[in-house]
Amino acid sequence: MAEVHQVGQRLAGRLGDNAAWFEEWERMAAETERKADAEAAAGHEVTAGGLYQRAATYHFVADRFLSPQDPRKNAAYRCVIRCFREAARRRYPNLEFVDVPYDPLPLAAHFIRPEGAKPYRAMVFFDGLDTAKEMLSFAAGSELARRGIACLVVDGPGQGESLRLRGIPSRYDYEVPAAAAIDWLERRADVDRDRIGVMAISMGGYYAPRAAACEKRFKVCVAWGGHYDYHAVWLNRRRVMESGGTTTSAPTFQLPWVLGVRDMDQAMEKLKKYTLEGVAEKITCPLLVAHGEHDSIVPVEMARRLHEAAGSAVKELKIFTAEETGSEHCMGDNRQLGAAFVADWIADHL
């Protein structure tokens, strides 16, 4: 928090200056990376790994402030990958860097092996609108591994490395990349092919239920942040953005870039298919919908609609309150609490 506070102090009075926000976060990333290099040179490998992990996070925060047309964006993301690999090598030796076969190019992913007996239970974990596997593997993948559950953290279409460096945009029928992921897991001798689930965070609260509804090999589903009608959510977000409001976390270039279209008008047209109406009823596996009571990005009503419509005989709606914390978007104000709850639920139901 002290490092974040230092960045904030340097940015005082510069709200809306995206170039400055990129530069200051990159400055902190570079400072942290230099400290990591020094610790590594001194032989303090575990300490260096922790610093590289934070540096990866700061490079990724910087990335978010630049449009896809700015060459510094992909340069910053390459730094994320480099720092993450240095962190994983020192602190997470059970993490593999893998590619999931997919047309036209493979999807970039991490496979996190747990300790304990084989074959492992396993989860496919997709990102949301604006995060990446490097931000999720340590947060949730490691929690699952501690419970004996393997995790394939995938930058799916429209996400992370698969979008930035491989040019793969999002698609509404996410059962296609989800099927590719479960195919990959089923080919591993150390994975129990009869105990594989799917989960996703934020915008992934649409992706994971869609995948579970259409791909019946998944035995559980977690919507970490519930969605029902993603188009309706963006109709409201767009009104806020165009009126100069600040309650949406996404820059104006984000959605068209993720969807692989030219502008917001085309994006809104493409989003019409991103609805779980008539789809949620087809979910039959156990379902968890975890949502924050005060989520200012996705109304809690969307989580309730998903839970109500789901056809699962076993389904749970967990609304995190401000009193218990975790009440913001995807438990962002207490991510550890959210990750632990999700991981325990999966361990109980998979």
Side-chain angles (χ1 to χ4, degrees):
M1 289 305 298
E3 292 168 350
V4 174
H5 182 55
Q6 288 176 13
V7 176
Q9 286 181 311
R10 293 197 291 264
L11 287 168
R14 305 177 80 176
L15 184 65
D17 185 347
N18 281 356
W21 282 63
F22 165 77
E23 290 162 6
E24 290 299 343
W25 281 110
E26 272 293 271
R27 174 180 167 183
M28 180 55 75
E31 290 175 1
T32 308
E33 199 172 341
R34 282 193 293 271
K35 293 176 184 176
D37 291 342
E39 295 292 349
H44 303 153
E45 295 291 353
V46 176
T47 300
L51 287 159
Y52 282 124
Q53 184 175 338
R54 291 210 305 283
T57 300
Y58 299 150
H59 280 301
F60 188 74
V61 174
D63 160 296
R64 293 193 72 242
F65 289 95
L66 296 181
S67 77
Q69 287 71 44
D70 192 318
R72 295 176 298 172
K73 187 176 186 70
N74 277 355
Y77 185 70
R78 292 182 188 278
C79 292
V80 173
I81 295 175
R82 184 188 69 247
C83 289
F84 182 91
R85 285 179 175 265
E86 294 294 337
R89 181 166 64 85
R90 291 167 170 84
R91 296 175 69 95
Y92 300 91
N94 60 334
L95 188 148
E96 301 174 20
F97 299 89
V98 304
D99 281 332
V100 173
Y102 179 81
D103 186 30
L105 292 171
L107 302 173
H110 298 154
F111 181 71
I112 305 170
R113 302 183 313 276
E115 300 296 331
K118 303 175 185 177
Y120 310 122
R121 294 172 289 172
M123 292 295 291
V124 175
F125 189 11
F126 288 109
D127 313 332
L129 176 71
D130 49 12
T131 187
K133 62 189 181 305
E134 289 81 13
M135 301 299 105
L136 299 179
S137 289
F138 293 150
S142 57
E143 286 295 320
L144 288 169
R146 292 185 185 101
R147 291 159 175 80
I149 302 168
C151 191
L152 180 65
V153 188
V154 187
D155 282 340
Q159 300 175 337
E161 183 177 352
S162 298
L163 172 66
R164 287 164 173 78
L165 305 185
R166 305 184 186 189
I168 305 172
S170 177
R171 56 190 299 166
Y172 80 93
D173 52 346
Y174 233 70
E175 64 271 18
V176 177
I182 199 170
D183 287 345
W184 188 90
L185 283 172
E186 287 185 341
R187 287 193 287 269
R188 292 187 66 107
D190 58 355
V191 170
D192 184 346
R193 62 184 299 157
D194 294 321
R195 293 195 295 171
I196 299 174
V198 64
M199 61 188 288
I201 194 166
S202 193
M203 182 186 182
Y206 164 78
Y207 291 143
R210 168 80 197 198
C214 301
E215 175 52 79
K216 297 302 182 182
R217 286 179 291 172
F218 289 119
K219 298 302 188 291
V220 298
C221 176
V222 176
W224 193 343
H227 272 293
Y228 186 77
D229 187 335
Y230 197 57
H231 178 256
V233 167
W234 266 99
L235 284 175
N236 182 63
R237 282 190 185 180
R238 192 179 188 189
R239 283 193 293 267
V240 171
M241 293 166 72
E242 292 178 350
S243 66
T246 59
T247 60
T248 177
S249 69
T252 53
F253 59 74
Q254 186 75 18
L255 185 64
W257 177 48
V258 166
L259 296 180
V261 297
R262 186 179 63 250
D263 54 31
M264 280 297 292
D265 287 337
Q266 288 188 355
M268 296 305 296
E269 186 63 29
K270 185 172 181 177
L271 276 190
K272 289 180 179 178
K273 290 186 175 181
Y274 285 65
T275 176
L276 294 172
E277 183 177 0
V279 176
E281 294 82 353
K282 299 176 184 177
I283 303 172
T284 54
C285 64
L287 170 70
L288 170 65
V289 182
H291 208 89
E293 180 183 33
H294 296 140
D295 190 326
S296 61
I297 297 175
V298 181
V300 69
E301 177 60 25
M302 288 295 172
R304 293 194 174 101
R305 290 178 69 185
L306 169 59
H307 176 258
E308 181 179 353
S312 304
V314 177
K315 56 184 178 180
E316 180 174 351
L317 174 63
K318 169 60 177 174
I319 304 296
F320 287 84
T321 66
E323 183 178 5
E324 66 183 316
T325 73
S327 67
E328 298 297 334
H329 182 62
C330 297
M331 290 100 259
D333 55 319
N334 194 339
R335 184 58 56 79
Q336 178 60 31
L337 177 69
F341 184 93
V342 166
D344 284 339
W345 187 93
I346 292 168
D348 289 343
H349 289 84
L350 186 58

